[in-house]
Each structure stands twice: as C-alpha cells, then as structure tokens.
Amino acid sequence: MRQIGRVSLRDLLYILFRDKWRIVVVVMTAFVAACIYLAFEHTIYVAESRVLIRVGKEKLSGIEPYAKDSYNILFQERGQDIHNGIELLRDESLAHAVFDKLRPYLQPEAPPEGGFARLKYEAKKMWASVKETLYAPMYWFGFKTRFSDEENMVRALRGSLAVEAIEDTDILRVSFGWTDPQFAALALNTFTSEFVAKHIRVHGNATSEQFYIDQIAQKRKSLDEAEAELTMFRTEHNIGNLPLQKELLLKDITELEARLREVTLQHEEYLALLAGVDRSLKAGEEWLQTPDFDQRTTLDLSSLDKQYYELVAQRSLLATTYAKDSRELVSVRERIASLREQKGASLITFFRLNSQAIGQQKASLEQKLQALNQRLTEYNQIGLQLAELERQQNVNEQSYLAYRKKAEELRISDELNAQKISGVRVISEARPPVEPSSPRRLLILGIAVLVGLFLGIGYSAISEYFDDTFRGADDVKRILGTELMLTVPKFEPRER
C-alpha cells in the first residue's frame, strides 16, 4: 500500500493520463448502458387540465343569511372543498368508470413494423415473461396478489393520474401520463368529465320530493291543531293579554295589601285603646282622659268633662265648709264616680264598635286579597300552560317552515342536477402533448457520463492507493527517507 503524505497536481494528472483509456472505457460503458435504457424505456406524454372548485349549489343551499362579521365562516370551508375534490378524483370507482368509457381504446397492442421497433417489442415481451416467471413463487406463497387484466389496467390508469392543488387558488391541476399523447388527452378529459358527473351525484339529494310533500302536509296539520288549541285555551280562560292582565292584578294586590296594613294598624290601635280604658276603670278613681286617636273628632265627650270639672270645683268648695263624710260631699263624689263610669262606658262602647267594624273590614280585605292571590296563582298556572302551547305552536311552525325550505331547495337542486350545473368547472380541457415528459434523455445521458467519470476516476484513485511501486527517486526519498543509490534502466530484449 502506497504511503502518500501529500498528493500534488502532478500526481493527479499522472494518474488520469496513465489510466485515460480505462476511464474512457468506463464512461463509454455507462453512456452505452444509458442509451440502451433509453432505447427500451417508454416515452411518456403528460396531458394537463385544470379544474375550478367553486361554491356551488351543494354549499349555497345550506347557507343561512350570515351577519356581516360572519362571512368568513363560508371561506373556512374552501380548503375542505379542494381536498374533497382531490379525493373524488383519486377514488377507485372513478377509475373504473373511466376504464369502462375507454375500453374500446385499450385493445392489445399489435406488433409494430420495422426492425428496431419489432426488436423493442419482442424484448419487452420477453422481459415481461421473465418478470412473470420470477414473480410466480411470490404469488404461490401469498407475498403478492395476482390481479386480472382489467384490474391491472384500472390500477395503471389510477397510477398515471396526478392531482395537486394550486396554492392560493381554488384550482386543481390534473395530469395524466401515457405512451400515446392522443390517448393521454382522451383519458384525462374522460377523467374530468366523469369527475364532474360524480361530483353532481355525490352532492345530489337522495330524498325524494314526495317525502317532503308528505312531511309538509303533516306539519301543516300539526300547526293548525296547535293554533286551534291555543285559541280555544285563550277563549276558555278569557285571556287577551296575559302579561298585562297579570300586571293589573299585581297592582290591585299591592294596593289591597297597603289598605289591609292600614286597617290592621287601626284595628290594633282600637283594641289597645279599649284595653287601656278597661285597665283605667279598674285601676282607680282618677278621671278618664279621652285618648288621642285618628277619629277623635267623631267622639264628643266634652260635656262629661265639663260636668266633671264643675263637680270637682263644687267638691273643693264644699270641703271647706262640710265634713268629709257629710251628705253633700258624698253626693258629689257619687256624681263624679257616676260621670267616670259613664265616660268609661262611652269610650268602651265607641272603641268596641269601631274595632268590630274595622275587624269586619279587615276580614273583608283579607278575603279579597286571598281571592286575588288565588287568581294570581291561576294566572301563573295558565301562563305555564299558555307558554307550553305557544312553544308547541312555534316548534310546529319552525318545523313546517324548515320542511318548506328544504322542499324548495330540493326542487332547485333537482333542476340544477337536470341541467348538470355544479360548483365544479373544467376551465381548460386536455390537449395531446407535443413533447414527451419523460424520460429526460439529455439529463439521463449527462448523469450517465458523470457517473462513468466518477467510477473511472474512483477506480484509478483506489488502484493508485494500493499500488506500492516507486515511480522515481522522489518517491524513494519521500517515502523511505533516504537517497536513491542506483537506477537500473529497463532494456528491451533484442531479437536474434
């Protein structure tokens, strides 16, 4: 093995010049191999078409009147529409439908005329037989599945189709590659037309119009029954405007409660006055003062008070002349006691009569209040029943309107389907391509030359690395570290 510490440009040029023919042979071998590959490789022509996925009837039929700030809800679904279109184009059932349309154009290829073309045909046929023989054990052991000729052709059609979305647009770029440019354009146009038809079928309405007609009649009947029941309920309970009636009733209850509180206070006041007078009569002999109350003006006891004060003055006058137990003073005291009893009886009678009258008024107000509260309770119960009836009417009305709307959408959708109107448009049909898309011959040949150069130079470099032959005095000095003592020239043997 050569111990090379440093490789100079001279060494590299020496290696390339020494092995130039070897490198040329390797490059030519790679070039010829690439030419043979290109000679037997199928020439693929790619036809292209563009399909626009826009908002169609299948989306607009379900869009409600959005608020101005909610328009972006619709545009958030555009990416989903694009992906749905891509999946429909890649669907296997679509490939089967295209195969049925293209079946007359997919007949077995006849052997070509001409020497080289016939040679290519026979070579490909033989290679197919070899591949079938090599794959046979894999079929036997279940590593591969054997498909029918029709299934293989469908798989070939699907494999030749390519779909991609153009960024920032609603357009799909659809391409189809085949060896025949006319067939490539025909197959791609068949794919796009079948895609449009399938898009209409997928987004079509599976429900019949008669179903919605029956549902509309049923919902109309339910709505009429709910309205009739609501009207009967209002008439039976004499309900015009229930909230207003409840408001007026609450106002009456509030006023009645205020009046009842006032009457209750008056009743309690008279009972307290009655008890006070009774206690005063039993407590001693002092003169009863007329209490201060609201209806004092209706009770006039001033004459009794006047007689009392006159008797008191007379008693004082007689007390200076007569003895305490004299008949005159006793008579005056008896008259004072009689006046006191008379005033107490008058007060008791007045307070008792007024308390009884106010008690009856209080009882009447309580009965009225109880009746109003009972009526309010009935209004609340009626309100619940009325709310339930109104809710049922609203539900039936919304359901009825929803079915009418769906029926109209179905009618419009059926008309659009009949005219084959959809949200999908083929904006450019495929045309037979003029130039092949693959194989890229110049690129393959260039790569083959570069690979040949790489292999040739690599082989020369490796062989040089493992070569331990000294090429000159410089190699001896550099590698062994000593001077060259003797050089023996190479002599060609002479002929005798």
Side-chain angles (χ1 to χ4, degrees):
M1 183 180 297
R2 180 180 296 276
Q3 302 295 326
I4 300 177
R6 181 180 61 185
V7 179
S8 63
L9 178 61
R10 176 176 176 275
D11 295 331
L12 292 176
L13 293 176
Y14 171 79
I15 295 172
L16 293 177
F17 184 77
R18 185 192 65 184
D19 298 331
K20 58 182 180 297
W21 296 114
R22 182 186 299 172
I23 295 173
V24 169
V25 169
V26 173
V27 171
M28 291 303 298
T29 301
F31 184 80
V32 171
C35 290
I36 296 174
Y37 167 77
L38 292 175
F40 287 94
E41 178 63 18
H42 290 292
T43 301
I44 303 300
Y45 293 86
V46 178
E48 286 192 358
S49 179
R50 284 170 172 75
V51 178
L52 174 65
I53 307 293
R54 63 179 184 177
V55 179
K57 65 179 182 61
E58 60 276 356
K59 288 291 184 183
L60 290 177
S61 61
I63 296 176
E64 300 295 338
Y66 290 116
K68 183 178 294 186
D69 295 336
S70 302
Y71 286 150
N72 59 344
I73 297 176
L74 174 63
F75 299 102
Q76 291 175 356
E77 299 184 0
R78 303 301 299 132
Q80 180 181 354
D81 295 337
I82 298 296
H83 291 298
N84 291 341
I86 293 175
E87 293 303 320
L88 282 178
L89 277 167
R90 292 175 177 173
D91 187 54
E92 185 176 0
S93 62
L94 184 66
H96 282 279
V98 172
F99 174 75
D100 293 336
K101 293 290 184 66
L102 297 178
R103 192 185 296 271
Y105 304 95
L106 294 173
Q107 301 301 326
E109 184 182 359
E113 302 293 337
F116 183 71
R118 185 61 179 266
L119 177 62
K120 288 175 57 177
Y121 175 80
E122 294 297 336
K124 292 179 180 178
K125 185 176 180 181
M126 182 177 64
W127 174 243
S129 300
V130 173
K131 287 175 60 178
E132 183 69 20
T133 304
L134 294 176
Y135 287 155
M138 302 183 70
Y139 295 136
W140 298 341
F141 294 105
F143 295 113
K144 289 181 67 67
T145 303
R146 191 183 299 276
F147 297 101
S148 62
D149 294 339
E150 179 177 338
E151 187 64 29
N152 285 328
M153 185 56 65
V154 171
R155 292 166 67 88
L157 290 175
R158 290 185 65 193
S160 301
L161 182 71
V163 185
E164 63 176 344
I166 301 178
E167 189 176 0
D168 296 332
T169 66
D170 296 334
I171 298 176
L172 298 179
R173 181 188 293 113
V174 189
S175 59
F176 186 87
W178 205 258
T179 56
D180 183 4
Q182 300 293 334
F183 181 81
L186 175 63
L188 184 54
N189 289 329
T190 306
F191 262 107
T192 54
S193 62
E194 287 297 319
F195 165 66
V196 173
K198 185 169 183 178
H199 191 274
I200 294 175
R201 291 195 304 272
V202 167
H203 292 93
N205 298 289
T207 309
S208 64
E209 186 176 1
Q210 185 61 39
F211 169 78
Y212 284 104
I213 294 175
D214 297 339
Q215 291 296 319
I216 288 173
Q218 181 180 352
K219 297 301 179 182
R220 178 74 258 185
K221 180 180 178 182
S222 300
L223 179 59
D224 293 339
E225 291 176 354
E227 290 177 347
E229 185 178 0
L230 181 60
T231 303
M232 184 182 300
F233 183 82
R234 288 181 179 274
T235 304
E236 180 181 353
H237 293 86
N238 193 20
I239 298 175
N241 188 346
L242 185 60
L244 179 60
Q245 290 176 275
K246 288 180 65 176
E247 183 179 355
L248 295 175
L249 182 59
L250 288 172
K251 183 178 180 182
D252 293 340
I253 291 175
T254 302
E255 293 177 353
L256 191 59
E257 287 177 346
R259 177 60 181 163
L260 180 60
R261 285 194 297 270
E262 181 181 351
V263 170
T264 301
L265 290 175
Q266 290 180 359
H267 184 257
E268 292 176 353
E269 181 182 7
Y270 280 117
L271 291 178
L273 292 172
L274 180 61
V277 171
D278 187 62
R279 286 195 303 271
S280 298
L281 284 175
K282 296 178 180 180
E285 297 181 356
E286 293 183 359
W287 180 251
L288 298 176
Q289 299 295 330
T290 303
D292 189 11
F293 55 94
D294 293 339
Q295 296 183 352
R296 183 174 180 177
T297 57
T298 61
L299 179 62
D300 188 10
L301 299 177
S302 59
S303 61
L304 295 177
D305 292 337
K306 182 178 180 181
Q307 295 177 19
Y308 168 75
Y309 289 117
E310 289 177 352
L311 289 175
V312 169
Q314 185 178 0
R315 186 185 61 182
S316 300
L317 182 62
L318 291 175
T320 59
T321 306
Y322 296 96
K324 183 177 181 181
D325 295 332
S326 63
R327 183 173 59 82
E328 288 80 2
L329 288 175
V330 171
S331 174
V332 171
R333 284 197 297 270
E334 288 177 355
R335 290 176 62 186
I336 291 174
S338 175
L339 286 175
R340 185 173 181 273
E341 291 291 336
Q342 185 179 354
K343 184 174 182 180
S346 298
L347 289 172
I348 290 173
T349 301
F350 178 81
F351 291 150
R352 182 178 289 116
L353 292 176
N354 279 275
S355 65
Q356 290 176 355
I358 293 177
Q360 292 176 358
Q361 185 180 0
K362 176 184 177 184
S364 176
L365 291 175
E366 288 177 346
Q367 290 178 358
K368 290 181 180 179
L369 182 60
Q370 183 179 1
L372 292 180
N373 286 327
Q374 184 177 358
R375 190 174 180 185
L376 180 61
T377 303
E378 293 177 357
Y379 274 178
N380 290 332
Q381 295 176 354
I382 291 173
L384 294 176
Q385 298 176 9
L386 182 64
E388 178 63 24
L389 291 175
E390 291 178 345
R391 187 191 66 81
Q392 188 64 34
Q393 179 195 10
N394 292 333
V395 169
N396 290 329
E397 183 177 5
Q398 291 176 4
S399 180
Y400 169 72
L401 295 176
Y403 273 103
R404 284 195 58 180
K405 180 180 178 181
K406 289 297 182 183
E408 182 64 17
E409 291 176 359
L410 178 62
R411 185 189 66 78
I412 296 174
S413 179
D414 290 341
E415 291 293 331
L416 294 175
N417 287 340
Q419 300 180 21
K420 295 185 177 180
I421 298 176
S422 174
V424 176
R425 288 288 182 275
V426 179
I427 58 178
S428 63
E429 293 187 353
R431 296 181 177 274
V434 178
E435 297 181 354
S437 175
S438 66
R440 302 174 66 178
R441 301 181 183 278
L442 293 178
L443 177 62
I444 292 176
L445 292 176
I447 292 175
V449 171
L450 292 178
V451 171
L453 284 173
F454 177 76
L455 293 177
I457 295 174
Y459 177 76
S460 298
I462 293 174
S463 63
E464 176 67 18
Y465 180 75
F466 287 99
D467 186 10
D468 54 1
T469 303
F470 293 104
R471 293 197 301 268
D474 293 336
D475 287 349
V476 174
K477 184 176 181 181
R478 184 175 67 252
I479 295 174
L480 299 180
T482 182
E483 297 291 337
L484 180 64
M485 298 177 61
L486 179 65
T487 299
V488 179
K490 182 178 180 181
F491 294 96
E492 297 292 339
R494 297 180 179 180
E495 296 182 359
R496 295 183 179 180

